[in-house]
Amino acid sequence: MKDRIREILGWYESDNAGSKANLYRLLAHGRLAGTGKLVILPVDQGFEHGPGRSFAPNPPAYHPHYHFELALEAGCNAYAAPLGFLEAGASEFAGRIPLILKLNNHDVLHDEKDPVPSVTGGVQDALRLGCCAIGYTIYPGSAGCKTMYEQLREIAQEAKRNGLAVVVWSYPRGSGLSKEGETAIDVVAYAAQIAAQLGAHIIKVKLPSAHVEQSAAKKVYEAEHVPLKTAEERVRHVVQSAFNGRRIVIFSGGAKEEDKKIFDEVRAIRDGGGFGSIIGRNSFQRKKPEALKFLETVMKIYSGELQ
Amino acid sequence: MKDRIREILGWYESDNAGSKANLYRLLAHGRLAGTGKLVILPVDQGFEHGPGRSFAPNPPAYHPHYHFELALEAGCNAYAAPLGFLEAGASEFAGRIPLILKLNNHDVLHDEKDPVPSVTGGVQDALRLGCCAIGYTIYPGSAGCKTMYEQLREIAQEAKRNGLAVVVWSYPRGSGLSKEGETAIDVVAYAAQIAAQLGAHIIKVKLPSAHVEQSAAKKVYEAEHVPLKTAEERVRHVVQSAFNGRRIVIFSGGAKEEDKKIFDEVRAIRDGGGFGSIIGRNSFQRKKPEALKFLETVMKIYSGELQ
Amino acid sequence: MKDRIREILGWYESDNAGSKANLYRLLAHGRLAGTGKLVILPVDQGFEHGPGRSFAPNPPAYHPHYHFELALEAGCNAYAAPLGFLEAGASEFAGRIPLILKLNNHDVLHDEKDPVPSVTGGVQDALRLGCCAIGYTIYPGSAGCKTMYEQLREIAQEAKRNGLAVVVWSYPRGSGLSKEGETAIDVVAYAAQIAAQLGAHIIKVKLPSAHVEQSAAKKVYEAEHVPLKTAEERVRHVVQSAFNGRRIVIFSGGAKEEDKKIFDEVRAIRDGGGFGSIIGRNSFQRKKPEALKFLETVMKIYSGELQ
Amino acid sequence: MKDRIREILGWYESDNAGSKANLYRLLAHGRLAGTGKLVILPVDQGFEHGPGRSFAPNPPAYHPHYHFELALEAGCNAYAAPLGFLEAGASEFAGRIPLILKLNNHDVLHDEKDPVPSVTGGVQDALRLGCCAIGYTIYPGSAGCKTMYEQLREIAQEAKRNGLAVVVWSYPRGSGLSKEGETAIDVVAYAAQIAAQLGAHIIKVKLPSAHVEQSAAKKVYEAEHVPLKTAEERVRHVVQSAFNGRRIVIFSGGAKEEDKKIFDEVRAIRDGGGFGSIIGRNSFQRKKPEALKFLETVMKIYSGELQ
Amino acid sequence: MKDRIREILGWYESDNAGSKANLYRLLAHGRLAGTGKLVILPVDQGFEHGPGRSFAPNPPAYHPHYHFELALEAGCNAYAAPLGFLEAGASEFAGRIPLILKLNNHDVLHDEKDPVPSVTGGVQDALRLGCCAIGYTIYPGSAGCKTMYEQLREIAQEAKRNGLAVVVWSYPRGSGLSKEGETAIDVVAYAAQIAAQLGAHIIKVKLPSAHVEQSAAKKVYEAEHVPLKTAEERVRHVVQSAFNGRRIVIFSGGAKEEDKKIFDEVRAIRDGGGFGSIIGRNSFQRKKPEALKFLETVMKIYSGELQ
């Protein structure tokens, strides 16, 4: 099992031992330790969508410690959140669960076609809070992408110099894209490539649809007979687009949905060579026992204990 | 009584002893010392609304020493004001009343739909003036919110590194919101959550109305039967939205009103689990003896001496 | 007489001895030394309006030494000008007349509804030129006010740290105001308050008219029966608005006018508790003997030698 | 009582409101609050003399929390210690007792005739730990005095700029002095003067003997009939030597001694116009109940409750 | 009278207007204002010799305000002292008397053949305290002279950049000189030259004796028949040695002596072209009325009112 981690770390050959050690911590924690697979609990919805929408379905989730406990008990590889949520528990849970500090966030009280999230934390905060990684969101396709790419460059550089890992949420949106295009297979693959080229260690994208947004991409896909019909094929294309699988790509769960649908997606991610899931609303918006059972199933699919 | 302060300080687990000591000073001063409740006197209206509108109803209030004296005599936990007003009395009253330096301010000679207040002081000013905390205003819902969030992040980081407490005025306004939406319960709860995620120690919001601004929030509130009919219930939801009550949330008094109405609001804040009030115009726009009597009643409601 | 200066210095309790010493120098120089009154000669019109408009009516005024000599011979408390004019005479007249370096200036070759003056000098220039104070102009009511307020904050902080005094020209203008509103009593009082809150030691405003610009202010003025009919009453309200008279407020003379009108204004300033005048065009646009006679009369009114 | 504090703060006229507020905190805490007298608990002996010598007589004193509790329960004005001891309790006791961070320390594992203590903490540490003051030791008479004076100058400047108070331990020793000379009245008075000239707010010296070390001083004392026979007279001369009593001078208790002797010294300090004591070994080397009784007596002598 | 000041300022042609303005302030204050002569009150003896030796002969002099008052009432041109003494009065006396902050000081508790005084203040302190000049002591002839010369260079550069004047105490001592040599005419003249070459605006030396220390100098003096027999002749040679009289050279009074002797010295300084005296012990070690009478006589000799 450890061999798989060493193999993965080998892909990050220009990184210093510090960043590698922090990637190791992420890969060696929890139920999936050593499998090369990751299930991460992200809780930024209080900021991104508002507290009522996020936590009213399961009120214990208003409490910042709840998410540390959920991630720990479920055996997640890491817990990711904005500054305030981590500050409110990082001391209490120090060392017990790998943490990812999300450094930029956006709220919907003022929304725009081409938003640029606000920087709400820094590398120095991640270090003092004992985090393994920083997280940063880019919106490829947005008029503000330049701001985000350049900010990410600065932040990633500082994070890596200080031995942290860099996780990039790469979510296409903005005036350059149709609504359907945000999850189009060509666009998601492109977003994964951009994040990889910007130096991300771990890339988080949405599970792509079969839609192809760009005619230029469509032409090539057709000419080259790139198989994109099934979710598994599309995952394979996205992973391929992230340096032929030499960058960790994980997929987001999205809004609360039926379990069966999610388990099928997880199987597609696994079978397409994806590295895991980042599952927020589908876990913390349930009662905890249910959430634990749900996450256990997800992890068993990734580990192969379940088909 | 001291036990309540220690309990509250326990919530701020990632903060250094300096910020905790300054939170202690705020919680251990005045008539409500040790109760975990706060009544703060804020006087920024000279800048925000103009001197005549603010002080003509009670001309002694033009004098900068007046407010130090009022806060002291009434037994408020602290006095908050912009640079000029604090510079004009901080030496004379050194050490006698906890001070909060409001670091950004906005005037109405030039107003806009989406204003960004001007930075009018800094953390170094707060240290040289002997303040316990800095104050900063954000307008969630404004097109300028990114500027404010990022400025707050920088200022809060510097303040905390130097052992100060951070008080955030979180006032929704701007093109993202209807006028009614500025005090809508979902919006105020969201504003409290944003301030908490940005790292505020103390959050100041307006008392919310029963209006719900965002349809996505409305749907969840209804589905989950979140009780929001009474002021007390709404206070409870806002406090819950600030890390399940693990951040100090206080409520602003607003424009001069009838006493009975305010006392009822104070009862709702107390019974809903709120931590206190920040009362400017309703205190300094009366003759001092009346103001003292008024504030005494407010504090007695908070302390439970009055029902 | 010295007692009045000490009383005034006592208002600046948070300032270091250096800033106090420089305020002392301004108050202890010239014909009005020790009275607590100030008449300052400002000559920035060459930059602000152009040289022909400014100096052709009295050609010797093209010469930079002329203004040092005029201020000295007339017994003004200080001479204020932009970088170039001070550099052209500061050595020759070193120590003989307190100097104020105006740090921002605006010209009318390119004008706008909401201008932001250019920073044309710095605190270090003021120190090397032997100035007692720096001057800075803000335009409350302008869309650019945020830039000016924040620049002033930085400059004032540096000036005070180095023991200089800070003089703020607070001139309402811009898209937030009607033309009449620029000198409206409520607006001028507001402008004085803003300058005081931003940390000005000396505030320069225009003599206000009886017009009230803001309806919210009008309502309060009427409800509280604030007397604003005479110039004297309006001066009193402006002075009150600058921390109840605990900041030095002086009034600008404006364009060249009939002597009688100006002397009446000076009487109103004196009787309303104002601290003096800053008189440019009405002094340097006359032949020197006339100017000296004119300024002598102004000073005699301030000193009480003339009713 | 508050009037005495305000009188004392008035002596520090060049200090900012921050340093004044922290002096206020020291003077307004504990059993002697408001009397203008101070009893401070210092515990640097673990570093200066070694742990066994210091704490074996009362083993609970090995625990860092013990000293916070002792200072609190006894009603001391403050607790002073090096970095490690404060870090080990500053969060737990945040805000409950004024703290003084001793910024330089010396151990006896390597001792010299002319030692220079090591800098073991900084102003930034004092801020993050919530201290009211920094402490620094100088050894006038030492060949290394220049190093210490210059270090103190830098540290005091930074501390004052950040609103902290500065406490100087001024202990004559080194090759310039005989052993007897270290507590000679002329030398102790000189040491107090040097600390005051270096900008100390609070000066700590040893209780002087009647010995006069310097012949030049002896000549003047005799010529001017300076009364130096009793401890009270010598205290008076030391206090006079610290700007005629306009700097707070406190006296150290030294090694463990008979209670009666110490109480007599306290009476002499009080009657000679001294401002209090800093008592380490005589308090923490006893069982706590005894220490509390002992300190109560000391404080009652200072407050005048006991003759 | 003003013409003499302008003539003197003309010698400092490379200095900025700020330094000139501060030299002007020194030359234009007090009883000798405008004469080009200076009598300065220096009080650093508390630090340099100890408080008892310095102030016991006239106990009111222990009080820091005493010296401000003495300098003011006597009409001295300036008051010079170390940091502590100036901090203790600079606000109270702001602007009323030119101040010189002595930036290095030496005490005699540890003395050496070749001492290097400690830096006890900085240019930034001088600015915040409202000083006109900084003072710095060098010991030509000492093994530590390089340290002092180089420190002076840095400090003088910073002082001049900020518009302050630079006063250098140039006191030969150290292993390079015999005791007699410290006041030898060749050595004092040499010390004046060194200070001038290091950029001093004002040079303070001791009144030289007729002794010639260096054989090389002796040879030239004899060959060139340089007249050095009378004090007046020696003053003339020292003044000549400071750029042919184009730098201000003043002479120190030394220990308390008979009035007649001092008055004769003052006459010699005046008649030899010296610029004045810096008189500490002979003024503040007398009762104030006597001191005032004594200083009046000194000033009358300088002004020519007395022969």
Side-chain angles (χ1 to χ4, degrees):
Chain A
M1 296 279 264
K2 294 293 158 85
D3 291 348
R4 177 60 180 156
I5 300 185
R6 295 186 67 185
E7 185 191 356
I8 292 173
L9 294 188
W11 305 335
Y12 298 89
E13 54 182 71
S14 294
D15 278 291
N16 61 28
S19 293
K20 283 181 191 155
N22 275 314
L23 284 169
Y24 184 97
R25 285 187 188 113
L26 291 169
L27 290 161
H29 184 88
R31 212 179 194 291
L32 291 171
T35 61
K37 301 291 181 192
L38 294 146
V39 171
I40 294 173
L41 175 69
V43 191
D44 58 0
Q45 292 79 359
F47 199 119
E48 304 270 337
H49 306 153
R53 268 173 72 188
S54 303
F55 308 130
N58 179 32
Y62 283 109
H63 195 301
H65 287 185
Y66 179 82
H67 307 287
F68 289 87
E69 284 158 2
L70 177 58
L72 260 168
E73 292 174 31
C76 289
N77 296 68
Y79 166 47
L83 186 72
F85 250 17
L86 289 198
E87 282 192 335
S91 256
E92 179 69 21
F93 295 89
R96 291 159 63 195
I97 173 89
L99 298 175
I100 301 169
L101 179 60
K102 258 205 74 187
L103 294 191
N104 63 345
N105 287 285
H106 171 249
D107 70 87
V108 295
L109 287 179
H110 179 84
D111 210 358
E112 294 173 3
K113 185 134 199 73
D114 290 295
V116 175
S118 304
V119 176
T120 59
V123 170
Q124 196 56 43
D125 294 310
L127 290 168
R128 75 175 165 88
L129 293 171
C131 299
C132 292
I134 58 96
Y136 186 91
T137 299
I138 56 174
Y139 296 144
S142 160
C145 66
K146 183 177 150 66
T147 300
M148 290 176 266
Y149 295 171
E150 294 185 357
Q151 238 169 31
L152 171 56
R153 178 187 109 69
E154 302 273 353
I155 284 170
Q157 195 179 52
E158 187 187 352
K160 292 173 176 182
R161 194 171 56 234
N162 286 285
L164 296 176
V166 173
V167 184
V168 175
W169 274 241
S170 191
Y171 283 2
R173 67 179 284 190
S175 52
L177 299 169
S178 71
K179 191 70 204 163
E180 215 186 354
E182 294 181 1
T183 51
I185 173 59
D186 59 322
V187 170
V188 171
Y190 199 162
Q193 167 77 206
I194 287 171
Q197 293 289 10
L198 287 168
H201 295 124
I202 299 178
I203 298 158
K204 182 193 167 195
V205 291
K206 289 186 182 160
L207 202 61
S209 72
H211 174 66
V212 178
E213 174 85 351
Q214 309 161 99
S215 54
K218 190 171 200 126
K219 226 179 299 175
V220 176
Y221 284 159
E222 286 170 1
E224 305 294 339
H225 306 291
V226 180
L228 298 170
K229 240 176 276 170
T230 67
E232 181 188 330
E233 285 167 345
R234 293 191 293 271
V235 164
R236 180 159 294 119
H237 179 55
V238 172
V239 169
Q240 186 183 44
S241 297
F243 296 1
N244 213 30
R246 291 170 69 86
R247 285 295 173 268
I248 297 167
V249 181
I250 57 179
F251 294 82
S252 62
K256 212 155 93 180
E257 287 187 82
E258 277 192 19
D259 288 7
K260 198 195 154 310
K261 188 168 173 296
I262 297 173
F263 297 149
D264 285 346
E265 289 175 1
V266 167
R267 278 182 199 98
I269 295 166
R270 179 194 63 192
D271 297 339
F275 292 75
S277 293
I278 182 154
I279 301 179
R281 282 171 285 173
N282 280 292
S283 52
F284 71 75
Q285 290 186 344
R286 306 167 188 247
K287 302 292 157 227
K288 211 205 263 178
E290 280 176 62
L292 292 175
K293 213 178 122 198
F294 167 80
L295 287 167
E296 191 185 8
T297 305
V298 167
M299 293 183 200
K300 280 185 170 168
I301 296 171
Y302 276 123
S303 68
E305 292 166 72
L306 276 183
Q307 264 323 298
Chain B
M1 297 279 263
K2 295 290 159 85
D3 290 348
R4 177 62 178 155
I5 300 186
R6 296 187 66 184
E7 185 192 355
I8 292 173
L9 295 187
W11 304 335
Y12 298 90
E13 55 180 71
S14 294
D15 279 290
N16 61 28
S19 293
K20 282 181 193 158
N22 275 315
L23 284 170
Y24 183 97
R25 285 183 187 120
L26 292 168
L27 290 162
H29 185 87
R31 211 180 192 288
L32 291 171
T35 62
K37 301 292 181 191
L38 295 145
V39 171
I40 294 173
L41 175 69
V43 191
D44 57 359
Q45 291 80 358
F47 199 120
E48 304 269 336
H49 304 154
R53 268 173 73 188
S54 303
F55 307 130
N58 179 33
Y62 283 107
H63 195 303
H65 287 186
Y66 179 82
H67 307 287
F68 288 85
E69 284 159 3
L70 178 58
L72 261 168
E73 292 174 32
C76 289
N77 296 67
Y79 165 47
L83 187 72
F85 251 17
L86 289 197
E87 282 193 336
S91 254
E92 178 70 21
F93 294 89
R96 291 161 63 197
I97 174 92
L99 299 176
I100 301 168
L101 179 60
K102 258 205 75 187
L103 293 191
N104 64 344
N105 286 285
H106 171 249
D107 69 88
V108 294
L109 288 179
H110 180 83
D111 209 359
E112 295 173 2
K113 185 134 198 72
D114 290 294
V116 176
S118 304
V119 175
T120 59
V123 170
Q124 196 60 42
D125 293 311
L127 290 169
R128 76 174 164 87
L129 292 171
C131 299
C132 291
I134 58 96
Y136 187 91
T137 299
I138 56 174
Y139 297 145
S142 160
C145 67
K146 183 176 150 66
T147 301
M148 290 176 265
Y149 295 172
E150 295 190 347
Q151 237 169 30
L152 171 55
R153 176 186 115 67
E154 301 274 352
I155 285 170
Q157 199 179 46
E158 187 188 352
K160 291 173 175 183
R161 196 172 54 236
N162 287 287
L164 296 177
V166 173
V167 184
V168 175
W169 274 241
S170 193
Y171 282 1
R173 66 179 285 189
S175 53
L177 298 170
S178 71
K179 190 71 204 163
E180 216 187 352
E182 294 182 0
T183 52
I185 173 60
D186 60 321
V187 170
V188 171
Y190 200 161
Q193 166 79 204
I194 287 172
Q197 293 288 11
L198 289 169
H201 295 124
I202 298 178
I203 298 159
K204 181 194 167 194
V205 291
K206 289 186 182 158
L207 201 61
S209 72
H211 174 65
V212 178
E213 174 86 352
Q214 308 163 101
S215 55
K218 193 172 198 120
K219 224 180 300 176
V220 175
Y221 286 155
E222 286 171 2
E224 305 293 340
H225 306 291
V226 179
L228 298 171
K229 240 176 274 170
T230 67
E232 181 187 331
E233 287 167 343
R234 293 190 294 270
V235 165
R236 181 161 293 120
H237 179 54
V238 172
V239 169
Q240 187 182 44
S241 295
F243 295 1
N244 213 32
R246 292 171 71 86
R247 288 296 174 266
I248 296 168
V249 182
I250 57 178
F251 294 82
S252 63
K256 213 154 93 179
E257 287 188 79
E258 277 193 20
D259 288 8
K260 202 198 152 306
K261 188 166 172 300
I262 296 173
F263 297 149
D264 284 347
E265 290 176 1
V266 167
R267 277 182 200 98
I269 295 166
R270 178 194 64 191
D271 296 339
F275 293 75
S277 292
I278 183 154
I279 301 180
R281 283 171 283 173
N282 279 291
S283 52
F284 71 75
Q285 291 187 342
R286 308 167 187 246
K287 302 289 156 230
K288 210 205 263 179
E290 279 175 63
L292 292 176
K293 216 180 119 196
F294 167 80
L295 287 167
E296 191 186 9
T297 304
V298 167
M299 293 183 199
K300 280 187 169 166
I301 295 172
Y302 276 123
S303 68
E305 291 166 73
L306 277 182
Q307 264 322 298
Chain C
M1 296 278 264
K2 294 292 158 87
D3 290 348
R4 178 60 179 156
I5 300 186
R6 296 187 66 184
E7 185 191 356
I8 292 173
L9 295 188
W11 303 337
Y12 298 90
E13 57 181 69
S14 293
D15 279 290
N16 61 28
S19 293
K20 283 181 193 158
N22 275 315
L23 284 169
Y24 184 97
R25 286 183 187 120
L26 292 169
L27 290 162
H29 186 87
R31 211 182 194 287
L32 291 171
T35 61
K37 301 292 180 192
L38 295 145
V39 171
I40 294 173
L41 175 69
V43 191
D44 57 0
Q45 291 80 358
F47 198 119
E48 303 268 337
H49 304 153
R53 264 174 74 190
S54 301
F55 307 131
N58 179 33
Y62 283 107
H63 194 303
H65 287 187
Y66 178 81
H67 306 287
F68 288 87
E69 282 158 5
L70 177 58
L72 261 168
E73 291 173 32
C76 289
N77 296 67
Y79 165 49
L83 187 72
F85 250 16
L86 289 197
E87 283 192 335
S91 254
E92 177 70 21
F93 295 88
R96 290 160 64 197
I97 173 91
L99 299 176
I100 301 168
L101 178 60
K102 260 204 75 186
L103 293 191
N104 64 344
N105 286 285
H106 171 249
D107 68 87
V108 294
L109 290 179
H110 177 81
D111 208 1
E112 295 173 2
K113 185 137 198 71
D114 290 294
V116 175
S118 305
V119 175
T120 59
V123 169
Q124 196 58 42
D125 294 312
L127 289 168
R128 76 174 164 88
L129 292 171
C131 299
C132 291
I134 59 95
Y136 187 91
T137 299
I138 56 175
Y139 299 144
S142 159
C145 67
K146 184 177 150 64
T147 301
M148 290 176 264
Y149 295 172
E150 295 189 349
Q151 240 169 29
L152 172 56
R153 176 186 115 66
E154 301 275 351
I155 285 170
Q157 200 179 46
E158 186 188 352
K160 290 174 175 183
R161 196 172 54 235
N162 287 287
L164 296 176
V166 174
V167 184
V168 175
W169 274 241
S170 193
Y171 282 1
R173 65 180 284 190
S175 54
L177 297 170
S178 71
K179 190 70 203 164
E180 213 187 354
E182 294 183 358
T183 51
I185 173 60
D186 60 322
V187 170
V188 171
Y190 200 160
Q193 165 79 205
I194 287 172
Q197 293 287 13
L198 289 169
H201 294 123
I202 299 179
I203 298 159
K204 181 193 167 195
V205 290
K206 289 186 182 159
L207 201 61
S209 73
H211 174 64
V212 178
E213 173 85 352
Q214 308 164 100
S215 55
K218 191 171 200 122
K219 225 182 300 176
V220 174
Y221 286 155
E222 286 172 2
E224 305 293 339
H225 306 291
V226 179
L228 299 170
K229 240 175 275 170
T230 66
E232 180 187 333
E233 286 168 344
R234 293 191 294 270
V235 165
R236 181 161 294 120
H237 179 55
V238 172
V239 169
Q240 186 183 44
S241 295
F243 295 1
N244 213 33
R246 291 171 71 86
R247 287 295 174 266
I248 297 169
V249 182
I250 57 179
F251 294 82
S252 63
K256 210 155 92 180
E257 287 189 79
E258 277 192 19
D259 289 8
K260 200 197 153 308
K261 188 166 173 297
I262 296 174
F263 297 149
D264 284 347
E265 288 177 2
V266 167
R267 276 182 200 99
I269 295 167
R270 179 195 63 192
D271 296 339
F275 293 75
S277 293
I278 183 154
I279 300 180
R281 284 171 282 173
N282 280 291
S283 50
F284 71 74
Q285 291 186 343
R286 307 165 188 246
K287 302 291 156 226
K288 209 205 262 179
E290 278 176 65
L292 292 175
K293 213 179 121 196
F294 167 79
L295 286 167
E296 189 185 10
T297 305
V298 168
M299 293 183 198
K300 280 186 169 167
I301 296 172
Y302 276 124
S303 68
E305 292 164 73
L306 276 183
Q307 263 321 298
Chain D
M1 295 280 263
K2 294 290 158 85
D3 290 348
R4 178 62 179 155
I5 300 185
R6 297 185 67 186
E7 185 191 355
I8 292 173
L9 295 188
W11 304 335
Y12 298 90
E13 57 180 70
S14 293
D15 279 290
N16 61 29
S19 294
K20 282 180 193 159
N22 274 316
L23 285 169
Y24 183 97
R25 285 182 188 121
L26 292 169
L27 290 162
H29 186 87
R31 212 182 193 287
L32 291 171
T35 62
K37 302 292 181 190
L38 294 145
V39 171
I40 293 173
L41 175 69
V43 191
D44 56 0
Q45 291 80 358
F47 199 120
E48 303 269 337
H49 305 153
R53 264 174 74 188
S54 302
F55 307 131
N58 179 32
Y62 282 107
H63 194 303
H65 287 187
Y66 179 81
H67 306 287
F68 288 87
E69 284 159 3
L70 177 57
L72 261 169
E73 293 173 32
C76 289
N77 297 66
Y79 166 48
L83 186 73
F85 250 15
L86 289 197
E87 282 192 335
S91 253
E92 179 69 22
F93 295 89
R96 291 160 64 197
I97 173 91
L99 299 175
I100 300 168
L101 178 60
K102 260 205 76 187
L103 293 191
N104 64 345
N105 286 284
H106 172 248
D107 69 87
V108 295
L109 290 179
H110 177 79
D111 207 2
E112 295 172 2
K113 185 134 198 73
D114 290 295
V116 175
S118 305
V119 175
T120 59
V123 169
Q124 195 60 41
D125 294 311
L127 289 168
R128 76 174 164 89
L129 293 171
C131 300
C132 291
I134 59 95
Y136 187 90
T137 300
I138 55 173
Y139 297 145
S142 159
C145 68
K146 183 176 150 66
T147 300
M148 289 176 265
Y149 296 171
E150 295 188 348
Q151 239 169 30
L152 172 54
R153 176 186 116 66
E154 301 274 351
I155 285 170
Q157 199 179 46
E158 187 188 353
K160 290 172 174 185
R161 194 172 55 236
N162 287 289
L164 296 176
V166 174
V167 184
V168 175
W169 275 241
S170 193
Y171 282 1
R173 65 180 285 189
S175 54
L177 297 170
S178 70
K179 190 70 202 164
E180 213 188 354
E182 293 182 1
T183 52
I185 173 60
D186 60 322
V187 169
V188 172
Y190 200 161
Q193 165 78 204
I194 287 172
Q197 293 287 12
L198 288 169
H201 294 124
I202 298 179
I203 298 159
K204 183 195 166 193
V205 291
K206 290 188 180 155
L207 201 62
S209 72
H211 174 64
V212 178
E213 173 86 351
Q214 308 162 101
S215 55
K218 191 172 199 121
K219 223 181 300 176
V220 174
Y221 285 155
E222 287 172 0
E224 304 294 339
H225 307 291
V226 179
L228 299 170
K229 239 174 276 172
T230 67
E232 180 188 334
E233 287 168 343
R234 293 191 294 269
V235 165
R236 181 161 293 119
H237 178 55
V238 172
V239 169
Q240 186 184 45
S241 295
F243 295 1
N244 212 33
R246 292 170 71 86
R247 287 295 173 266
I248 296 168
V249 182
I250 58 178
F251 294 82
S252 62
K256 211 155 93 180
E257 288 188 80
E258 279 192 18
D259 287 8
K260 202 199 152 305
K261 187 164 172 300
I262 296 174
F263 297 150
D264 284 348
E265 288 176 2
V266 168
R267 277 182 201 99
I269 295 167
R270 179 194 63 192
D271 297 338
F275 292 75
S277 293
I278 184 155
I279 301 181
R281 282 170 284 172
N282 279 291
S283 51
F284 71 75
Q285 291 186 342
R286 307 166 188 246
K287 303 289 157 230
K288 209 206 264 179
E290 278 176 64
L292 292 175
K293 215 180 120 198
F294 167 79
L295 286 168
E296 191 187 9
T297 304
V298 167
M299 293 183 199
K300 280 187 169 166
I301 296 172
Y302 275 124
S303 68
E305 292 165 73
L306 276 182
Q307 263 321 300
Chain E
M1 295 282 262
K2 294 290 159 87
D3 290 348
R4 177 61 179 156
I5 301 185
R6 297 186 65 186
E7 185 192 355
I8 292 173
L9 295 188
W11 304 335
Y12 298 89
E13 54 182 71
S14 292
D15 278 290
N16 62 28
S19 294
K20 282 181 191 157
N22 275 315
L23 285 169
Y24 183 97
R25 285 184 186 119
L26 292 169
L27 290 162
H29 186 88
R31 214 181 192 287
L32 291 171
T35 61
K37 302 293 180 191
L38 295 145
V39 171
I40 293 173
L41 176 69
V43 190
D44 56 0
Q45 291 80 358
F47 199 119
E48 303 270 337
H49 305 153
R53 268 173 72 187
S54 302
F55 307 130
N58 179 32
Y62 282 108
H63 195 303
H65 287 186
Y66 179 82
H67 307 286
F68 288 87
E69 285 159 2
L70 178 58
L72 261 168
E73 292 173 30
C76 289
N77 296 66
Y79 166 47
L83 187 72
F85 250 17
L86 289 198
E87 282 193 335
S91 254
E92 178 71 21
F93 295 89
R96 291 160 66 195
I97 173 91
L99 299 176
I100 301 167
L101 179 60
K102 259 206 74 188
L103 293 191
N104 64 345
N105 286 286
H106 171 250
D107 69 88
V108 295
L109 287 179
H110 179 82
D111 210 359
E112 294 173 2
K113 186 133 198 73
D114 290 295
V116 175
S118 304
V119 175
T120 58
V123 169
Q124 194 59 41
D125 294 311
L127 289 169
R128 75 174 164 89
L129 294 171
C131 299
C132 291
I134 58 94
Y136 187 89
T137 299
I138 55 173
Y139 297 144
S142 159
C145 67
K146 182 178 151 67
T147 300
M148 291 176 265
Y149 295 172
E150 294 185 358
Q151 237 170 32
L152 172 55
R153 178 188 110 70
E154 301 273 352
I155 286 170
Q157 195 179 52
E158 187 188 353
K160 291 174 175 182
R161 193 171 57 237
N162 287 287
L164 296 176
V166 174
V167 184
V168 176
W169 274 241
S170 192
Y171 283 0
R173 65 179 284 188
S175 53
L177 298 168
S178 70
K179 190 71 201 164
E180 214 187 352
E182 293 182 1
T183 51
I185 173 60
D186 60 322
V187 170
V188 171
Y190 199 161
Q193 168 78 205
I194 287 171
Q197 293 288 10
L198 287 168
H201 295 124
I202 299 178
I203 299 158
K204 182 194 166 193
V205 290
K206 289 186 181 159
L207 201 61
S209 71
H211 173 65
V212 178
E213 174 86 351
Q214 308 162 98
S215 55
K218 192 171 198 122
K219 225 180 297 177
V220 175
Y221 284 157
E222 286 172 0
E224 304 293 338
H225 306 291
V226 180
L228 298 170
K229 238 177 277 174
T230 67
E232 182 188 330
E233 286 168 344
R234 293 190 295 269
V235 166
R236 182 160 293 120
H237 179 55
V238 172
V239 169
Q240 186 182 44
S241 297
F243 296 0
N244 212 31
R246 291 171 71 86
R247 285 296 173 267
I248 297 168
V249 182
I250 57 179
F251 294 83
S252 63
K256 213 155 91 178
E257 287 188 81
E258 278 192 19
D259 288 8
K260 202 196 151 307
K261 186 164 174 298
I262 296 174
F263 296 150
D264 284 348
E265 289 175 1
V266 168
R267 278 183 198 98
I269 295 165
R270 178 194 65 192
D271 296 339
F275 292 75
S277 294
I278 183 154
I279 301 180
R281 283 171 283 172
N282 280 292
S283 50
F284 71 73
Q285 290 186 343
R286 308 166 188 247
K287 302 291 157 228
K288 210 206 262 179
E290 280 176 62
L292 293 175
K293 216 180 119 196
F294 167 79
L295 287 167
E296 192 186 9
T297 305
V298 167
M299 293 184 200
K300 281 187 168 165
I301 296 172
Y302 276 123
S303 69
E305 292 165 73
L306 275 182
Q307 265 322 299

